[in-house]
Amino acid sequence: MLGYLTTRPVERMSMGPTLFFPGIDFAPYPGHILGMTWLYIILWIMIGVSSLLAGLTTLLFYYDNYNTYGPEELHRRTGVSMPVLFLRTLGQTLLSQLIVSVTYPFGYIKPLWFRPPDVAIRQPRSSNPGHAEPRPPVLLIHGLYHNASAWVYMKYRLRQAGYEHIFAYSYFSFFQDFFHLTRVLANKVEELRSYFPDTKLVLMGHSLGALTIRAYMASLESQDKIAAAVALAAPHQGSRLAALGFGGLARSLMYKGELITALEQADQPASAPCLSIASPVDEFVLPLDATFLPRAQELGWTEQTGPSIPHVSLLFSPKTADMSLAFLDKVLAEN
């Protein structure tokens, strides 16, 4: 039997010209070679799309901020020369986009991100002896065009820090407006509150998700429900890049546009401590000052400058996670 298996010739694909490649006969090629070929094709498509997006956003970041602030001010803010800034931002953006491409399909597997508590509670507890007290549930909200897979690294860090109940959900970035997403967030908070009626939640959002947290924290609905909130790479004043966005939701995020004006008019002091972390080289939020929240201190928000990495890279940054967890540790210790 073993001899038969080792001497048996490789079976050939019994397929001729196909619909997608009418001029090529695949019959002479072994099946496993064809499988690897398709894998390479998909891989190169991912690399190509990621490279195109990284190059476009980096060029726009460089052009917009160079003309807004000038080379000297841009150098002062970023701490590096213009060629180094361009190449570093391009490389980091490409890497983060590749990570997103690989992890994106897993964001739609709901049990990975939003398990009922009776299932989640059976997950192993953190072995960190410094976190003997139970940690509050955490709700994670992703940004535009992304999904729950955005939180793959942050969820790991939260778990290591002793947070047992970590939830994330995915929303569609087309055919709905910003205030619908805010209502979705409010509904998710109520759902988790039904599971944990005597516990305040922690909210953490990235980009557009951070803006929905800001809108929610300004409402009376958030009173006595939220322990703390963390915003990563929030376009608090919108972004000029939104003009190139696909869909009405993306274009509504224009720099100092109608939506941003409405948010500023509705802003109220937050009912819980809030942290906003921004990168000094955020290539998606143009200009750079758009990452700062007007009247932040008055509204109860603490603003911190994160690592000098691109917009999406903040999601996978150890330093960003360290800053977020340090803030939450301080808030929970004071309460």
Side-chain angles (χ1 to χ4, degrees), residues 73-258:
E73 176 63 14
L74 194 56
H75 180 272
R76 186 190 68 81
R77 288 174 178 241
T78 60
V80 295
S81 64
M82 295 302 99
V84 172
L85 173 63
F86 179 82
L87 293 175
R88 188 180 68 181
T89 304
L90 177 62
Q92 292 173 333
T93 302
L94 175 58
L95 178 60
S96 61
Q97 292 298 331
L98 286 174
I99 295 174
V100 169
S101 300
V102 172
T103 59
Y104 195 87
F106 297 97
Y108 292 107
I109 305 177
K110 187 176 179 179
L112 292 177
W113 308 101
F114 210 99
R115 293 186 297 268
D118 59 336
V119 176
I121 201 170
R122 294 200 293 266
Q123 297 299 317
R125 293 177 177 270
S126 171
S127 59
N128 190 336
H131 299 292
E133 294 296 325
R135 297 293 183 176
V138 181
L139 181 59
L140 307 170
I141 306 96
H142 65 81
L144 187 71
Y145 305 138
H146 214 157
N147 62 21
S149 65
W151 301 107
V152 60
Y153 176 71
M154 189 64 73
K155 182 179 179 181
Y156 164 76
R157 289 296 305 273
L158 287 166
R159 181 77 68 185
Q160 291 299 109
Y163 292 85
E164 295 184 68
H165 304 292
I166 307 167
F167 302 87
Y169 62 92
S170 298
Y171 60 81
F172 196 49
S173 296
F174 300 94
F175 310 116
Q176 52 193 339
D177 61 25
F178 174 82
F179 296 103
H180 171 76
L181 298 185
T182 305
R183 291 191 295 271
V184 171
L185 170 57
N187 292 337
K188 292 296 182 181
V189 169
E190 292 304 316
E191 181 178 352
L192 291 183
R193 289 277 295 173
S194 69
Y195 300 147
F196 308 96
D198 300 321
T199 305
K200 294 183 179 182
L201 310 180
V202 170
L203 300 180
M204 184 177 295
H206 175 253
S207 193
L208 177 59
L211 276 190
T212 62
I213 290 178
R214 172 184 160 191
Y216 176 75
M217 294 299 293
S219 70
L220 294 177
E221 296 180 5
S222 65
Q223 300 292 334
D224 301 323
K225 298 177 182 179
I226 306 302
V230 178
L232 307 178
H236 285 300
Q237 300 181 53
S239 174
R240 290 170 180 159
L241 194 62
L244 302 179
F246 295 102
L249 178 60
R251 291 192 293 273
S252 71
L253 300 175
M254 279 296 299
Y255 177 59
K256 294 187 176 180
E258 293 183 5

Side-chain angles (χ1 to χ4, degrees), residues 1-8:
M1 181 66 180
L2 181 61
Y4 170 77
L5 291 175
T6 55
T7 58
R8 185 183 180 187

